[in-house]
Amino acid sequence: MTAPSFRLALAQVNPTVGDIAGNTARVRETRRQAGEAGADLVMLPELVLCGAPPEDLLRRPAFRDACRRACEDLARETADGGPALLLGLPWLEGDALYNAYALLDGGVIQAVRFKAALIDGGARDETRSFTAGPLPGPVLFRDRVRLGLPIGDDLAGEEVVECLAETGAEILLSPAASLFRRGIIDTRLNVAVARVVESGLPLICLNSVGGQGDSVFDGASFGLDADRNLTHQLPAFREALVVMDWQREAGRWRCRPGEIAAIETGDEADYAACMLGLRDHFEQTGAAGVVIELSGGLDAALGAALAVDALGPERVTGLVLPSAATPDGGPAAAQAHAAALGIPCETVPVAALVEALETALADPFATAGQSSVEDDRVDRLCATVLGALAAGLGRMPLAPLDRTARAGGDRGAGDLPGAVNPLADLYATEVFRLATLRNRWKPAGAQGRDDGVIPEALLAHPPDAQHDAILRALTEGGARVADLVAAGHDRGTVLALQRRAHQAGGGYPASHAFVDTGEPAHIPDAALVKGVGRAGGESIDF
């Protein structure tokens, strides 16, 4: 007697938020490809029909209806005898909207399960849109195997998987739309291993891939057998379709080991994430390409390299804006850099424009006499020229500027409407590392040249790592000046960087008037406090 078996296709795809028709077409094409590869069942990511995160679109009844119609249309198509589908969508049941995962097979929607553990709080607070579902039981697939379907954060705790195991699940298939952040791949794997240990069941984690707004989904889907062995590893930052062979042996389902893709980590992962986010931003907006000022700085050089890698050289135009302040050789170096990248480069002298602007503002600013004000005028004028040229070419302005520069008050072209800054989350030291990395390494899918994309002259002088460490501690960690001084940092440097970051809004609320003067940590005087958590002599339970 032949042992029960089936073939499962993992479809690590890149859906677009709001593009229900496009996402549905992608599901159809993926199902066709998986069918040709002999798959019985195709697994797709969380919320694949609407894209993640759908956020305010979920408030629109027409949007929810369109998702449901697409699901029903795809379900009818499974009557053709081809592979079944597992896919995610928003699902309205009565007055409650759920983050759902549906099994489509035999021309109908065979089963639907709801996400029980919603993300609560933060930028992706799901509780604003969805209702938490009940603890789920498994679904039966073609009378062969009982599948547990924990969705996304359902894996974060024990409860959902424990319920699935106790109610008869034999394999865990977990769709997700999990955002990239540093170290997240190890975190996901550790959580998955814990769930396998607790349940004794094999587990597949399938993640979305692609950029959506300011977010990047990194893919990097994987499979573990019941003994915690990694059987499959899909690539990060790109789409993939992999077919797994499952067979029931000695009362347990086992998966034949498959390909283990190499995964980018550290700086390589950061570069790949920036490249993917930039590429998908322009694919989704429909812009013809970008225009970037080749100013001679490292931010501009890395931004241009990222743009070429993401979009191709034919969609990137360089811009040189020489003025009286431009150093000798600057325009020639910019043209040489553009030639190395394989992109066209336009030169627009702005010296006359700067002079005209200074003449027009001579009286109002007669007593200013500040070089910083003059520099700001030049920067804003150059940003205006960049924006005008981009609009004339039907492209978008690219305004790469790292966090260190922004914390110091540099705005560059970042104030331009529609300007994109692919380096917004990186400090100067991180930009330097990525630029150095790109000169010796080319990421998968990059459309630029193999090496030498960053002028070596820009890599001769690394930025001050101490400045970045202080800025990170101040703007992200909320550190006191006194603590940083105690850790060995120069007090004057810390105070100067704190003032710059405060004035530039670098991590502080714009209306925040408080500036840490470096006083030691205050120890509260308990003797001055008459009562905490009391009213009328009775304890209040917080």
Side-chain angles (χ1 to χ4, degrees):
M1 183 177 177
T2 304
S5 64
F6 73 103
R7 306 193 78 204
L8 171 67
L10 303 184
Q12 181 175 286
V13 297
N14 183 355
T16 298
V17 169
D19 186 9
I20 299 171
N23 296 336
T24 303
R26 188 181 297 269
V27 170
R28 284 195 181 97
E29 176 59 19
T30 300
R31 179 173 182 262
R32 184 193 66 77
Q33 294 175 4
E36 291 179 351
D40 300 300
L41 175 62
V42 184
M43 180 183 180
L44 293 125
E46 177 183 6
L47 296 175
V48 69
L49 281 187
C50 62
E55 298 181 332
D56 290 345
L57 288 172
L58 294 173
R59 299 171 185 246
R60 303 181 184 181
F63 181 78
R64 303 193 299 262
D65 291 347
C67 290
R68 184 65 168 264
R69 281 195 300 270
C71 179
E72 292 172 354
D73 290 343
L74 290 167
R76 294 185 188 97
E77 293 169 19
T78 61
D80 61 6
L85 290 170
L86 280 168
L87 53 79
L89 73 156
W91 184 281
L92 189 65
E93 189 75 15
D95 294 329
L97 185 66
Y98 297 98
N99 182 335
Y101 205 55
L103 172 63
L104 318 181
D105 193 26
V108 298
I109 301 172
Q110 295 281 353
V112 181
R113 294 294 181 267
F114 302 139
K115 188 173 185 177
L118 300 177
I119 299 173
D120 188 0
R124 293 192 64 201
D125 187 350
E126 292 182 302
T127 61
R128 295 195 299 255
S129 304
F130 292 115
T131 298
L135 290 178
V139 302
L140 182 63
F141 173 59
R142 294 184 179 176
D143 294 325
R144 297 185 209 174
V145 56
R146 292 185 296 276
L147 302 173
L149 306 176
I151 303 169
D153 273 29
D154 284 347
L155 285 185
E158 304 174 8
E159 192 175 21
V160 173
V161 169
E162 180 181 14
C163 180
L164 288 166
E166 290 178 349
T167 51
E170 298 172 285
I171 300 172
L172 300 173
L173 303 181
S174 180
S178 175
L179 295 174
F180 168 74
R181 66 176 186 272
R182 290 168 183 164
I184 186 61
I185 291 176
D186 288 340
T187 300
R188 289 187 200 123
L189 185 60
N190 290 337
V191 169
V193 167
R195 301 293 87 83
V196 171
V197 169
E198 293 157 4
S199 65
L201 299 176
L203 168 62
I204 306 301
C205 294
L206 178 70
N207 192 27
S208 279
V209 66
Q212 299 287 349
D214 295 333
S215 303
V216 171
F217 301 93
D218 57 308
S221 308
F222 60 90
L224 298 172
D225 65 17
D227 298 317
R228 307 186 302 281
N229 297 308
L230 187 68
T231 65
H232 291 76
Q233 176 65 69
L234 276 63
F237 306 110
R238 53 193 184 275
E239 293 184 296
L241 181 65
V242 172
V243 178
M244 311 173 72
D245 290 296
W246 290 85
Q247 191 165 8
R248 188 174 177 84
E249 300 173 355
R252 300 173 69 186
W253 282 96
R254 300 183 183 276
C255 178
R256 182 185 303 166
E259 181 179 353
I260 305 295
I263 297 295
E264 294 88 349
T265 59
D267 290 339
E268 291 185 1
D270 285 354
Y271 191 98
C274 290
M275 188 179 82
L276 175 59
L278 187 61
R279 184 199 72 195
D280 280 3
H281 177 83
F282 284 94
E283 292 300 328
Q284 292 161 13
T285 58
V290 301
V291 178
I292 179 171
E293 181 188 358
L294 300 179
S295 61
L298 190 56
D299 281 356
L302 182 62
L306 274 166
V308 171
D309 282 343
L311 307 175
E314 69 281 356
R315 297 178 66 187
V316 181
T317 298
L319 181 62
V320 182
L321 302 173
S323 69
T326 303
D328 292 340
Q335 290 286 353
H337 183 207
L341 293 172
I343 65 173
C345 188
E346 302 292 336
T347 298
V348 179
V350 296
L353 296 176
V354 173
E355 183 178 350
L357 181 63
E358 290 177 347
T359 299
L361 299 178
D363 289 339
F365 287 94
T367 59
Q370 298 179 16
S371 61
S372 61
V373 173
E374 295 171 3
D375 290 343
D376 185 62
R377 291 184 216 160
V378 174
D379 288 345
R380 290 182 181 276
L381 183 62
C382 289
T384 301
V385 174
L386 174 65
L389 181 61
L393 295 174
R395 300 190 172 197
M396 296 180 69
L398 198 67
L401 195 66
D402 64 70
R403 294 186 72 166
T404 306
R406 289 188 294 117
D410 191 350
R411 287 289 179 255
D415 293 336
L416 277 177
V420 178
N421 182 4
L423 309 182
D425 292 329
L426 301 174
Y427 290 92
T429 47
E430 294 167 332
V431 167
F432 183 85
R433 291 205 313 266
L434 294 192
T436 303
L437 168 71
R438 182 59 185 88
N439 266 6
R440 66 173 188 271
W441 167 81
K442 180 180 178 180
Q447 300 182 59
R449 57 186 289 182
D450 291 347
D451 53 23
V453 299
I454 307 294
E456 288 295 337
L458 296 178
L459 303 175
H461 303 289
D464 192 328
Q466 183 190 43
H467 283 194
D468 278 2
I470 294 170
L471 284 169
R472 189 189 295 272
L474 289 171
T475 60
E476 295 182 32
R480 294 185 178 93
V481 169
D483 296 335
L484 291 170
V485 173
H489 295 293
D490 176 72
R491 176 186 173 86
T493 301
V494 173
L495 286 171
L497 289 173
Q498 188 213 28
R499 270 188 223 101
R500 285 169 51 192
H502 175 78
Q503 291 165 355
Y508 297 95
S511 60
H512 200 321
F514 173 74
V515 175
D516 184 357
T517 59
E519 294 293 326
H522 176 67
I523 300 175
D525 186 348
L528 296 176
V529 182
K530 291 185 177 180
V532 175
R534 295 183 179 84
E538 298 181 2
S539 175
I540 296 177
D541 184 5
F542 286 100

